[in-house]
Amino acid sequence: MRTTVLALASLFVFLAGFNVWNMLSNRGGSPRGARLWTQIHRIVGYAFITLFIVLCYFMMMRIKGLPDELPARVILHAIMALSLAPLLLVKVIVARYQKAARGVLTALGTSIFAIAFTLVAINLAVHFLAGAASTQVSSEVSITVIAVALLMSAAGYFTARKPRPATEVKTSPATPTVQRPASAADLLHLTLARVEQQSPDARTLRFLLPPNRTIAARPGQFLTFEWMIDGKPVLRSYTICSSPTQRSFIEITPKRVENGYVSHFLNDKAAVGLTVKARGPYGQFYFEEDKHSQIVLIAAGSGITPMISILRYIDDLCLPTAVTLIYCVRSQHDVFFKRELAALQGRLNEFRNVMVVSQPNSDWSGWKGRLRREILEREVNDAARSTFFLCGPPAFMELARNLLKEKGVDPARILQESFGGGVSIQPSATASTGSLEIKFDRSALAFRISPDETLLQSSEKNGVLIPSGCRQGVCGTCRTRLVSGQVQMESEEALTAELKAQGFVLPCVSRPLADVVLDA
């Protein structure tokens, strides 16, 4: 019986140590691998709890046969064993309801392992040393101790040397990353592989990434595409609506707009096999699971595209994020991803799907009309703790932002994304005209430009591509440092005080007042 208990105790320590190793080594680079190792962690954890109950039973049986006044070692052993119970309870609660709190889970797991190791070590030491003379220890014990020490040192050494994946490195919010114009190495050559109709005037296009290429996108970011239409290159930015957990493809959902040069091409003529160049991902509008535990997504029309990426990401990683989607459309026929939103509502316990229809059919029983305060009051719980993501036409986002401010929502908790139109890139010998000069310091290029055009428009006309997104001074993708000269910016919304102090400007809304030199 004693040998059986010691074997179970050794397994007890092994299981505790395995789970700590699992958490510290951050196993599973892919979403599928992450889910597998999470499941293993859960199984091992409940096996540990089962063994804990069994060993506590054996401990009680041993105490039962002892005299009333217990030895100090037995009292210490019992206190340490019972202290594991609340730690295990807290760890189970945190693992169930706060999965993103990895720091807390790691601290609890390490504490549980330390106590379990000490408990078993006390009994093992007594067992192995019971028959030893007072002046010596058996060679078997010495060899075992030395071997265990060497194995633990080797494991610690190789674990410490294992490099972390590049995608896990995060920059500090206090020192914002500056996005430079993408180089040729950043260029992606994508191939259209599938087309799916989302609504009468919108299609979802799935593009395959080149073999052995991935993009480190965050849910809500976008790519800038260079479409070739009628032999002319045209730039447009589109949100990635697929989940960032997908490694082999990306999806976009362009909506046909009136007089939309590219949107008409993508909805009417784009066919499987089409190839396109793209750069990115870009954008400061994205979901972060370690910062956003409770979010409200407010979208209108095609503004649902970054929201569906966020929802797919939460679903893929089984995140406990509380999500409310308020989706405003003209009619029931204009809803994008209708079936998927219904399926997500069934799968995600913390997801609420709220539809607002401005021109509903007679059988519609949900919210009608425009977004208004009554809808926010009824559908948004605990607005003070929520982070709000807004995407849609500019007038819609202004309305939503004003309604949220009336509710007392901190502006820092309101994130928004919008995209403007692009321009055709037609570099020619006559494009380089104007009364002022623009120089690109790192590219060693210079052109004459017009003070009536933005720096971005002039650059694109001369064949210099600066990554851009909204073209309204909102997203900050095109920000570039002004080395010398003067510009007038129509908007500075996307620039922090620190970036302004460093001399950054937004070429999409900047017009030259004198000759300028850009760090590009």
Side-chain angles (χ1 to χ4, degrees), residues 165-227:
T167 55
E168 294 182 6
V169 177
K170 293 185 178 180
T171 57
S172 169
T175 55
T177 302
V178 177
Q179 293 183 330
R180 303 291 187 185
S183 65
D186 299 319
L187 190 66
L188 293 169
H189 294 268
L190 307 177
T191 304
L192 182 58
R194 194 173 82 180
V195 178
E196 178 184 359
Q197 199 73 33
Q198 284 294 342
S199 73
D201 57 1
R203 307 162 87 192
T204 293
L205 309 179
R206 174 176 292 187
F207 290 90
L208 297 181
L209 273 68
N212 304 318
R213 286 292 302 273
T214 60
I215 58 173
R218 295 181 177 181
Q221 290 188 306
F222 62 89
L223 293 177
T224 297
F225 296 84
E226 184 180 331
W227 308 98

Side-chain angles (χ1 to χ4, degrees), residues 333-346:
H333 301 295
D334 297 311
V335 177
F336 293 9
F337 313 107
K338 183 183 298 184
R339 288 193 299 271
E340 185 170 2
L341 288 172
L344 286 170
Q345 194 166 16

Side-chain angles (χ1 to χ4, degrees), residues 295-299 304 307-308 311 322-329 335-357 364-367 375 379-381:
I295 61 176
V296 179
L297 312 176
I298 303 179
I304 189 65
M307 312 311 190
I308 197 67
L311 288 168
V323 189
T324 297
L325 169 65
I326 300 178
Y327 185 17
C328 301
V329 293
V335 177
F336 293 9
F337 313 107
K338 183 183 298 184
R339 288 193 299 271
E340 185 170 2
L341 288 172
L344 286 170
Q345 194 166 16
R347 286 200 302 269
L348 299 176
N349 294 331
E350 299 294 328
F351 173 49
R352 297 177 63 248
N353 182 20
V354 180
M355 202 78 64
V356 182
V357 182
W364 177 251
S365 59
W367 290 104
I375 297 175
E379 302 293 352
V380 177
N381 298 322

Side-chain angles (χ1 to χ4, degrees), residues 411-424:
R413 288 185 172 272
I414 304 174
L415 309 179
Q416 65 182 57
E417 183 69 293
S418 62
F419 293 98
V423 297
S424 299

